Amino acid sequence: MRSALFAATAFFSLAVTGQSVLAAEAPYVDDRSDAEAVIRSFYSAINRQEFARAWDYFGETKPVQDFDAFVKGYDGTERVEVKTGGVSEDGAAGSIYYNVPVAIRATAKDGSENVFAGCYTLRQVNASIQEPPFRPIFIDKGALKPSKAEFEDAMPASCGDAPPPPKKDAALEQAKKAFAATYGDQCDKEMPGGEPLAEPDAYSLRYKDAGAEADQPERETRLFRFFCSMAAYNESAVYYVYDDVSGVRQLQFASPELDIHYENNDSEGKVEAINVTGFQTDDQLVNSEYDDATKTISSLNKWRGVGDAASAGTYLFRNGNFSLVQYDVDASYDGEINPQTVVDYNTPP
């Protein structure tokens, strides 16, 4: 088993983000599914002044001798911001030990700020060998020391003798945050059938700017496809791209506004004309996929389950962006697949 990382210190003199007078309104978080979640939950309890709950996140080894001293340790602290780094783990004797790098910016009631950094060690005892009362993941020990670094740079690279965790894909992480911020309450939180959401599909697109010299290096655009929702026969997805100039941005997809004329104004009858009256943008694509061979994103929006009436768009990647190059519409509910092309700019660069 990895040797002990740090001796416990008085890291308990901090509170978490949120005005203390509004403690009761702070979000309630009690998630013990992983080590980082326990740390977030611990500070949620402190933020809400639920000190008994905060005390319970520790195992037999408490941060101070008694509960009253633990509570008193938070006097004078207004709020604190908490960041966690890459978690390493080690297993031994029926337990898993997690080492979590932490950086904290504490703001006192007088407005002064201090940065602390260090590590928490958490322990998960094998559930199959436990007897009542069951003990979920708990904080085994922690050591935070004052840091002269800025809060954004204070995070330890790793804890103890563990190797530094693999660097996260910064572009992917930014895209995931942007997606969660915009669609966290709109898109499904799990896949159909109840399985957890998978990571977004990620692609690397390399190209040269139009008119670039032969000796100029290629540029790279990252493409991320996020599953959003599933209905009876249509699945929607949201796309983000990243490049070194614009950073992360969401793709918006052009689509034509249609004026469809049916014989005798009967939508079940013969289609007489499909007119394009303008264009709009869509933030999601239906039944879409990216084809790296053709550098295109295609979509197929079924108007009903059999798919005999539908609209389909093709978006070509060129000069660092995706453009609508073809749009087909099958407006007839006749049991056959017979689309008409209403937009055609499908000429590769």
Side-chain angles (χ1 to χ4, degrees):
M1 183 181 70
R2 183 177 300 132
S3 59
L5 303 179
F6 296 87
T9 61
F11 63 89
F12 50 89
S13 60
L14 308 174
V16 294
T17 306
Q19 300 289 339
S20 58
V21 297
L22 300 178
E25 299 179 13
Y28 181 91
V29 179
D30 184 14
D31 183 353
R32 309 191 191 210
S33 58
D34 60 46
E36 288 180 286
V38 171
I39 298 300
R40 292 193 301 270
S41 299
F42 168 72
Y43 283 110
S44 164
I46 297 302
N47 189 37
R48 294 169 59 88
Q49 299 182 6
E50 296 168 352
F51 297 113
R53 179 163 70 93
W55 182 260
D56 188 62
Y57 288 111
F58 291 91
E60 294 182 0
T61 303
K62 303 297 184 181
V64 290
Q65 186 174 359
D66 59 61
F67 178 69
D68 290 340
F70 175 74
V71 175
K72 189 175 181 180
Y74 291 94
D75 289 346
T77 302
E78 186 70 20
R79 62 184 180 274
V80 73
E81 298 170 73
V82 181
K83 294 174 63 176
T84 58
V87 179
S88 60
E89 63 181 74
D90 190 22
S95 293
I96 300 176
Y97 290 86
Y98 301 95
N99 303 305
V100 185
V102 174
I104 289 175
R105 177 165 55 196
T107 302
K109 292 181 179 179
D110 63 6
S112 61
E113 294 183 350
N114 291 283
V115 175
F116 298 81
C119 294
Y120 284 95
T121 299
L122 294 90
R123 182 183 177 188
Q124 180 179 11
V125 179
N126 189 333
S128 64
I129 65 174
Q130 291 195 47
E131 296 181 355
F134 174 75
R135 187 59 166 150
I137 302 174
F138 60 87
I139 301 172
D140 191 50
K141 63 183 69 174
L144 301 182
K145 298 179 180 180
S147 174
K148 295 181 179 180
E150 295 294 329
F151 175 56
E152 291 73 15
D153 302 321
M155 183 79 65
S158 62
C159 290
D161 56 359
K167 290 186 177 180
K168 291 185 177 181
D169 185 333
L172 173 59
E173 293 303 313
Q174 290 179 40
K176 289 166 67 175
K177 288 181 180 179
F179 174 76
T182 304
Y183 295 95
D185 295 330
Q186 300 181 36
C187 294
D188 296 344
K189 293 179 171 55
E190 59 184 26
M191 297 292 289
E195 60 267 27
L197 292 176
E199 285 285 290
D201 297 325
Y203 307 91
S204 176
L205 290 68
R206 295 189 175 275
Y207 69 100
K208 285 192 175 184
D209 289 322
E213 300 294 336
D215 60 348
Q216 285 186 310
E218 288 185 322
R219 296 187 61 187
E220 180 186 23
T221 291
R222 303 284 303 284
L223 174 68
F224 304 102
R225 180 188 185 277
F226 291 83
F227 167 83
C228 182
S229 63
M230 173 73 79
Y233 43 84
N234 285 325
E235 173 191 310
S236 69
V238 178
Y239 288 81
Y240 288 83
V241 291
Y242 170 88
D243 61 45
D244 58 359
V245 175
S246 302
V248 167
R249 58 186 174 86
Q250 184 183 353
L251 285 180
Q252 301 287 336
F253 297 93
S255 63
E257 295 180 344
L258 304 174
D259 179 25
I260 303 173
H261 294 268
Y262 294 93
E263 188 176 64
N264 298 322
N265 291 323
D266 180 7
S267 60
E268 298 292 329
K270 180 181 177 181
V271 176
E272 293 183 330
I274 303 176
N275 301 316
V276 175
T277 60
F279 287 85
Q280 62 185 19
T281 58
D282 300 321
D283 64 344
Q284 300 178 35
L285 285 184
V286 178
N287 299 330
S288 65
E289 61 181 4
Y290 171 71
D291 182 356
D292 195 47
T294 59
K295 296 291 189 291
T296 58
I297 298 174
S298 59
S299 67
L300 175 63
N301 187 356
K302 297 180 181 180
W303 295 3
R304 68 177 181 179
V306 295
D308 60 338
S311 55
T314 302
Y315 302 86
L316 175 66
F317 180 78
R318 54 187 172 191
N319 301 324
N321 209 347
F322 283 90
S323 301
L324 174 66
V325 293
Q326 185 168 327
Y327 203 87
D328 300 326
V329 178
D330 186 347
S332 59
Y333 297 86
D334 56 4
E336 298 181 2
I337 298 176
N338 45 10
Q340 301 179 45
T341 299
V342 297
V343 174
D344 186 5
Y345 306 115
N346 200 7
T347 303

